[in-house]
Amino acid sequence: MSLCLICAAELAQTVTWRSVFFLDKEETCCSECLDKFTLIEGPVCQTCGRPQADEQVCYDCERWQSDPEIGPVLTSNRSVYHYNDWMKDVIARYKYRGDAALVSVFQDSFRQAFLQHFKEAGLIVPVPLSSQRLYERGFNQALLLAELIGRPVLSPLNRKHLEKQSKKTREERLQSENVFFIETPSDILSKHILLIDDIYTTGTTIRHAANVLIQNGAKKVSSLTLVRG
């Protein structure tokens, strides 16, 4: 008997020849829970993927692109889901309460978004945690998402340990220092890199990581995140 990873309801099993020979992927989430997630559809900002009425570059991205320290380091971001109350609760279980198995719920949608927008990317790079945060949490949620794609994953970025981003206001996030660094940049030289993270909120984390990658020889940096805050 299989149970939904979110609500623990019993999952209906349909027996077919494919399932008998293990050719069908095992379901991990019931339809009732899946229906509560909201996919991002329709027009989005062509840079950050913010849902809006048209595909023009949004005001936030214009400000980022004119920033003298950051500039247009991020080619594009796309996110899979809206950050509704349901997703907020699921992310809290996944990210802060250690339910790493929940990542499998997003396998199909996350991989489909990759194939739709970024299948030509040369390197898949998860946004790292600091060593202290990784010890506290036990896993890197961005790495688990990156592994859903089914491509080799590289981890050239390192991260200094500072206060959690989730505890900062929007203005504090926008003004925060760059916590990322690279010790051996040779693997990223002249490559198109796809950064993977769980949530795009202000774009600060993604752009700081992209800036370090560009400064160390990457040709192009895009990003794919599970949620658009």
Side-chain angles (χ1 to χ4, degrees):
M1 180 180 67
S2 298
L3 301 179
C4 173
L5 289 177
I6 297 177
C7 71
E10 183 175 352
L11 296 173
Q13 298 295 315
T14 301
V15 179
T16 66
W17 283 111
R18 289 182 60 84
S19 63
V20 168
F21 290 101
F22 306 103
L23 297 175
D24 281 337
K25 183 177 71 71
E26 183 180 359
E27 296 297 325
T28 59
C29 185
C30 69
S31 58
E32 288 80 4
C33 286
L34 283 176
D35 288 344
K36 294 178 184 178
F37 295 111
T38 305
L39 289 167
I40 293 176
E41 298 175 320
V44 297
C45 168
Q46 60 184 269
T47 300
C48 72
R50 177 207 297 268
Q52 55 186 23
D54 54 45
E55 296 185 353
Q56 299 299 311
V57 176
C58 71
Y59 176 66
D60 283 347
C61 287
E62 289 180 346
R63 287 196 301 172
W64 276 117
Q65 290 171 1
S66 63
D67 186 294
E69 295 184 7
I70 301 295
V73 293
L74 183 68
T75 300
S76 66
N77 172 77
R78 290 296 178 269
S79 304
V80 183
Y81 292 103
H82 290 277
Y83 196 44
N84 59 16
D85 289 341
W86 173 253
M87 176 61 83
K88 183 177 181 179
D89 290 343
V90 172
I91 287 290
R93 278 182 55 184
Y94 172 54
K95 187 173 179 178
Y96 301 117
R97 297 201 288 273
D99 199 347
L102 284 174
V103 74
S104 63
V105 170
F106 308 114
Q107 181 170 1
D108 289 344
S109 58
F110 202 72
R111 179 168 172 75
Q112 183 177 349
F114 166 76
L115 293 173
Q116 180 180 352
H117 300 291
F118 301 115
K119 63 181 179 180
E120 302 303 325
L123 293 176
I124 309 299
V125 175
V127 171
L129 299 176
S130 67
S131 56
Q132 181 173 332
R133 192 76 67 223
L134 182 60
Y135 176 78
E136 293 171 353
R137 193 168 295 168
F139 64 95
N140 178 359
Q141 73 280 356
L143 174 59
L144 297 187
L145 287 167
E147 291 173 343
L148 295 179
I149 292 173
R151 295 275 188 91
V153 176
L154 187 71
S155 298
L157 287 167
N158 298 283
R159 185 173 190 157
K160 294 184 288 185
H161 183 73
L162 292 177
E163 181 185 10
K164 292 180 180 179
Q165 286 288 91
S166 59
K167 292 184 177 181
K168 296 180 180 179
T169 66
R170 178 180 177 83
E171 289 305 314
E172 287 172 338
R173 292 186 187 195
L174 290 170
Q175 297 170 11
S176 61
E177 68 173 283
N178 197 327
V179 296
F180 299 105
F181 63 96
I182 293 176
E183 293 179 339
T184 54
S186 59
D187 290 337
I188 68 170
L189 294 177
S190 302
K191 297 290 179 36
H192 175 194
I193 292 175
L194 180 64
L195 283 167
I196 303 295
D197 207 1
D198 55 345
I199 302 176
Y200 182 111
T201 306
T202 64
T204 303
T205 298
I206 287 291
R207 282 182 170 83
H208 279 183
N211 196 31
V212 170
L213 291 166
I214 292 294
Q215 289 178 349
N216 281 273
K219 179 180 180 181
K220 177 180 177 182
V221 180
S222 306
S223 61
L224 174 62
T225 64
L226 181 66
V227 179
R228 183 63 166 78

